Amino acid sequence: MLENILSLNNITKSFDGELVLEDLSLDIKRNEFVTLLGPSGCGKTTTLRIIAGFVMPDQGSVLLEGEDITTLPTEKRCINTVFQKYALFPHMTVAENIAFGLKIKKKDDDYIRQKIKYALELVNLTGFEKRKPRSLSGGQQQRIAIARAIVNEPQILLLDEPLGALDLKLRQDMQKELIRLKKELGITFIYVTHDQEEALTMSDKIVVMNQGYIQQIGTPEDIYNEPQNAFVADFIGSANLLAGTMIHDELVSINDVRFDCVDKGFGNNKPVDVVIRPEDVEIREKGQGIFPAVVTSVLFKGVHYEIFAKGIGIDWMIHTTAYHEVGAEIDLYVKPFNIQIMNKPESEDEAVIQTE
Amino acid sequence: MKRKYIAAPYIIWMSAFIVLPLIFVAYYAFTDKAGGFTLKNITAILDPLHIKATILSLELSLACTILCLLISFPLALVLRRLNMNNKGIIILIMILPMWMNSILRILALQMILSKNGILNMILSWFGIAPLSIINTPGAIVFGMVYDFLPYMILPIYNAVMDIDNDLIDAAKDLGASNPSVIWRIILPLSKLGIISGITMVFIPCLTSFVIPDILGGGKIQLLGNVIEQEFITSMNWHLGSGLSFALMIFVVIGLVFSEKQEKKDRESLVW
């Protein structure tokens, strides 16, 4: 058995002369929960549609289990999709919807009945067989859409922003549900979303995309703690994105203030991007930090305060559980390993090479 | 309270031009020349001559409806698949004949189909013997299709175009081939448009008398022609009304049937 269940090789796609994906390559391992994450228009949905077979790439190939399926029509692929707007057939009952794929494959009635029962149990909607999709809530419809896809025992389940239309509480419940389903089914999930929190919560691996390029591939921890460029840092969570100069290994200067850091190999006196997460900026007594600052605003966010403080010409975003008054004079401190140094991108949409 | 008055003009219109005439038709249908009650005018439809006209009317209307359906549904499917910005223009052209006077169109068709007409002229260029199409039931069906096709195309086109693309994608994703998508998804989801189209083609066909008159050369009697003659030639309003009334019963049965379908689906008509 191959390690990679799916490989996209050098995929290029444009619509009406507009380049959507350029030379995209991506390997997806068996049994992984992979999330394609990016802002709208980044090409994540197009990538998913190419995997599903709704869109043919202009160039490149798609391999499923090592077999070239680039030109194989959708209906012949062992891949099923859960759509953002559910796409349940309105003229069929829940049971008929779930049975659709199995009836096409001419499975016998007993088998279909068992599968419907199993799928409804799996999504916690036992007893809904006779209902019409219209009479269900959004969350229930999405569960049925998932049930309809998984009864076909796909090798890969594609999910196109499946929780996008649900409200926050329901979305969080469904996130847990999806993780549970993934474990129970033991199949590969490819999930598309623009919601970074959703991606961080559910994925084994995140593929951050922007403007048709893969920006970074890694585990949620990697992506959050060690973003490879300013785009990733900015898109994943909130961040203080700063321009700095690498003086030499393990020393970076931001607005002429020197910070110890742990990064090496960027050269001497090289301009770099610096990311410092707001929760990593520490507020200290005067005289105990690296530089002085003045609190300019305080917002209560529930678990923490979001404080903005002005120091060395920068507005620092700080997340802390301790309250500080507006106008308070403080010192700020950042631990060396919390300073993330990144090369400046050569162009806006520079592709970043995958790191393991 | 005031809202009531907004409906007043429509109520006046409906009473004067819809309800009142219906009452008159019913009155004439159930009375004889002396003014006494009778069912004779209604049962006259069972008279062999009238039965023949009725069956022929039903046959030709059915043929016309089926032909319209066979033209419209594939057209809607093709337009749906076409990646084109101006699908509306194609539809506009298809329904353009509606803007022309119907009698003019049928008269033109008479010229084209006639013995020494354009059609036979073109056929003769290919060495095909002249066809006698005019004055046959075929010519009438042709004329009806020509005249009523737009009423079938519009509702079906609207219904087919309204189907969410995600549903088609979902069906394919679940393994459905193209014919299967049409049969299991597109056809059932455009059912209301199809019913609308059938209603709007079948009923006018059933009652039509101008088209059979002109294209049938007066030799082929449909129920519409019989009724027309009772009123105009024989001046027997009672029999004419009776036959009309009987025809209306057919129509009402048809409508009730299609209404039931709609209720079941709880969706509004597309047309």
Side-chain angles (χ1 to χ4, degrees):
Chain A
M1 233 167 31
L2 296 160
E3 194 195 8
N4 295 327
I5 190 164
L6 185 83
S7 299
L8 303 178
N9 298 319
N10 310 97
I11 300 279
T12 298
K13 178 71 194 175
S14 53
F15 289 114
D16 300 326
E18 206 168 309
L19 210 56
V20 181
L21 294 174
E22 192 176 350
D23 201 26
L24 178 134
S25 294
L26 177 64
D27 289 324
I28 287 165
K29 292 202 184 78
R30 194 175 304 282
N31 226 336
E32 252 184 339
F33 195 128
V34 180
T35 300
L36 307 180
L37 175 67
S40 59
C42 73
K44 57 189 192 297
T45 297
T46 305
T47 307
L48 198 78
R49 291 178 67 80
I50 284 173
I51 299 171
F54 299 132
V55 173
M56 296 283 150
D58 298 337
Q59 276 164 41
S61 61
V62 183
L63 303 183
L64 179 66
E65 301 272 22
E67 217 173 292
D68 192 328
I69 58 161
T70 316
T71 53
L72 197 70
T74 308
E75 60 266 29
K76 299 223 167 74
R77 298 187 184 196
C78 215
I79 295 174
N80 288 111
T81 309
V82 176
F83 293 82
Q84 181 176 10
K85 288 179 287 167
Y86 327 128
L88 295 176
F89 305 126
H91 57 298
M92 298 180 191
T93 62
V94 164
E96 285 166 342
N97 264 284
I98 296 174
F100 188 87
L102 301 173
K103 275 193 185 142
I104 297 262
K105 290 181 193 80
K106 303 230 154 47
K107 303 280 184 191
D108 65 72
D109 289 351
D110 259 359
Y111 177 85
I112 293 178
R113 213 170 303 123
Q114 274 172 22
K115 272 287 182 183
I116 293 173
K117 193 164 168 280
Y118 161 76
L120 285 174
E121 268 168 25
L122 205 60
V123 297
N124 292 327
L125 284 177
T126 305
F128 278 68
E129 285 88 346
K130 297 250 161 61
R131 298 276 290 270
K132 279 279 177 87
R134 232 193 311 265
S135 70
L136 304 180
S137 72
Q140 290 169 334
Q141 289 192 41
Q142 195 54 280
R143 283 159 197 255
I144 298 302
I146 293 166
R148 182 179 68 174
I150 58 180
V151 289
N152 300 289
E153 299 173 358
Q155 286 169 295
I156 300 176
L157 186 68
L158 307 177
L159 302 108
D160 184 8
E161 306 217 18
L163 312 184
L166 306 179
D167 59 49
L168 183 67
K169 184 76 185 69
L170 201 54
R171 204 154 66 219
Q172 287 167 344
D173 291 346
M174 282 299 284
Q175 286 172 11
K176 288 189 203 118
E177 196 99 329
L178 280 171
I179 298 169
R180 176 182 65 83
L181 273 174
K182 161 79 183 55
K183 284 199 186 113
E184 261 176 61
L185 293 166
I187 57 173
T188 310
F189 275 36
I190 303 177
Y191 193 95
V192 160
T193 184
H194 62 265
D195 184 332
Q196 40 104 0
E197 206 187 299
E198 209 167 274
L200 292 173
T201 311
M202 295 195 290
S203 322
D204 297 324
K205 192 199 261 178
I206 295 177
V207 179
V208 184
M209 295 179 72
N210 190 32
Q211 303 193 336
Y213 294 94
I214 293 176
Q215 303 288 328
Q216 185 171 357
I217 302 176
T219 63
E221 288 85 355
D222 284 346
I223 302 262
Y224 189 82
N225 293 328
E226 282 156 46
Q228 288 189 359
N229 61 23
F231 172 80
V232 176
D234 193 35
F235 194 74
I236 309 288
S238 28
N240 294 291
L241 264 179
L242 314 161
T245 308
M246 203 69 188
I247 294 169
H248 53 71
D249 282 356
E250 303 187 5
L251 189 67
V252 65
S253 147
I254 301 164
N255 283 8
D256 295 328
V257 175
R258 293 177 174 217
F259 291 79
D260 288 321
C261 63
V262 294
D263 292 282
K264 296 176 206 171
F266 286 87
N268 295 342
N269 293 314
K270 267 279 173 62
V272 288
D273 280 331
V274 181
V275 166
I276 302 171
R277 296 287 178 193
E279 64 270 25
D280 293 336
V281 183
E282 296 171 27
I283 296 177
R284 296 198 165 182
E285 297 276 308
K286 281 228 73 67
Q288 292 180 9
I290 301 173
F291 58 91
V294 178
V295 175
T296 54
S297 76
V298 181
L299 276 175
F300 180 58
K301 289 275 190 173
V303 257
H304 59 76
Y305 290 97
E306 185 173 280
I307 295 178
F308 280 90
K310 189 133 184 146
I312 58 169
I314 294 163
D315 272 322
W316 295 86
M317 184 199 275
I318 306 157
H319 288 174
T320 173
T321 48
Y323 177 76
H324 293 267
E325 250 168 55
V326 174
E329 293 187 11
I330 49 171
D331 259 17
L332 295 182
Y333 177 82
V334 187
K335 289 193 180 97
F337 65 84
N338 281 332
I339 296 177
Q340 174 73 21
I341 311 284
M342 304 168 305
N343 274 316
K344 279 217 175 284
E346 276 146 39
S347 68
E348 182 86 352
D349 45 26
E350 181 199 35
V352 172
I353 295 145
Q354 181 175 3
T355 51
E356 285 300 330
Chain B
M1 269 308 291
K2 262 191 180 164
R3 277 196 207 153
K4 261 189 181 170
Y5 301 112
I6 301 173
Y10 303 101
I11 290 173
I12 292 169
W13 171 272
M14 274 159 51
S15 327
F17 297 106
I18 301 171
V19 179
L20 216 58
L22 273 177
I23 292 174
F24 280 134
V25 170
Y27 169 76
Y28 279 109
F30 289 106
T31 52
D32 55 25
K33 275 183 180 143
F37 176 82
T38 175
L39 282 174
K40 243 172 50 204
N41 298 319
I42 309 281
T43 51
I45 197 140
L46 299 173
D47 167 313
L49 192 73
H50 295 153
I51 275 275
K52 208 180 130 207
T54 308
I55 288 172
L56 191 62
S57 292
L58 286 169
E59 279 172 357
L60 297 192
S61 305
L62 197 67
C64 169
T65 309
I66 289 169
L67 282 173
C68 285
L69 202 57
L70 288 180
I71 295 168
S72 305
F73 191 68
L75 175 76
L77 289 181
V78 168
L79 285 176
R80 199 196 147 87
R81 277 186 77 103
L82 275 186
N83 235 341
M84 233 169 81
N85 296 325
N86 39 14
K87 290 171 188 164
I89 298 215
I90 292 190
I91 287 302
L92 188 71
I93 292 168
M94 292 304 288
I95 64 167
L96 204 60
M98 272 167 88
W99 299 0
M100 236 185 303
N101 182 293
S102 159
I103 296 188
L104 199 68
R105 272 181 287 147
I106 298 305
L107 285 173
L109 207 55
Q110 186 188 32
M111 305 294 280
I112 294 169
L113 297 180
S114 69
K115 262 227 164 72
N116 306 312
I118 298 165
L119 182 70
N120 277 332
M121 192 174 80
I122 294 169
L123 287 179
S124 71
W125 295 344
F126 299 98
I128 299 169
L131 301 171
S132 42
I133 298 175
I134 198 76
N135 302 346
T136 63
I140 295 173
V141 171
F142 191 92
M144 283 173 167
V145 170
Y146 181 55
D147 211 31
F148 297 125
L149 187 60
Y151 300 96
M152 185 70 92
I153 286 179
L154 270 184
I156 291 182
Y157 172 77
N158 285 337
V160 169
M161 294 306 275
D162 267 356
I163 298 171
D164 189 347
N165 223 3
D166 272 0
L167 295 179
I168 313 274
D169 277 352
K172 284 192 178 167
D173 188 76
L174 293 166
S177 58
N178 278 331
S180 196
V181 169
I182 292 170
W183 184 248
R184 289 167 190 262
I185 307 294
I186 299 180
L187 200 65
L189 286 179
S190 50
K191 191 170 74 186
L192 290 175
I194 292 170
I195 290 173
S196 254
I198 289 174
T199 313
M200 276 189 304
V201 169
F202 187 74
I203 292 170
C205 276
L206 203 57
T207 54
S208 142
F209 61 89
V210 176
I211 296 172
D213 228 20
I214 297 174
L215 296 178
K219 288 177 198 156
I220 298 162
Q221 293 268 316
L222 296 196
L223 202 55
N225 303 96
V226 175
I227 294 169
E228 183 210 4
Q229 279 159 17
E230 289 304 331
F231 274 96
I232 309 289
T233 320
S234 320
M235 294 296 277
N236 188 348
W237 288 25
H238 298 275
L239 184 56
S241 299
L243 293 175
S244 279
F245 210 83
L247 191 57
M248 238 186 292
I249 292 169
F250 279 112
V251 171
V252 168
I253 290 170
L255 280 179
V256 166
F257 184 72
S258 65
E259 196 79 10
K260 249 191 188 159
Q261 282 287 340
E262 278 157 40
K263 284 246 173 69
K264 227 171 75 186
D265 285 24
R266 281 238 200 103
E267 266 172 28
S268 58
L269 271 183
V270 196
W271 174 258

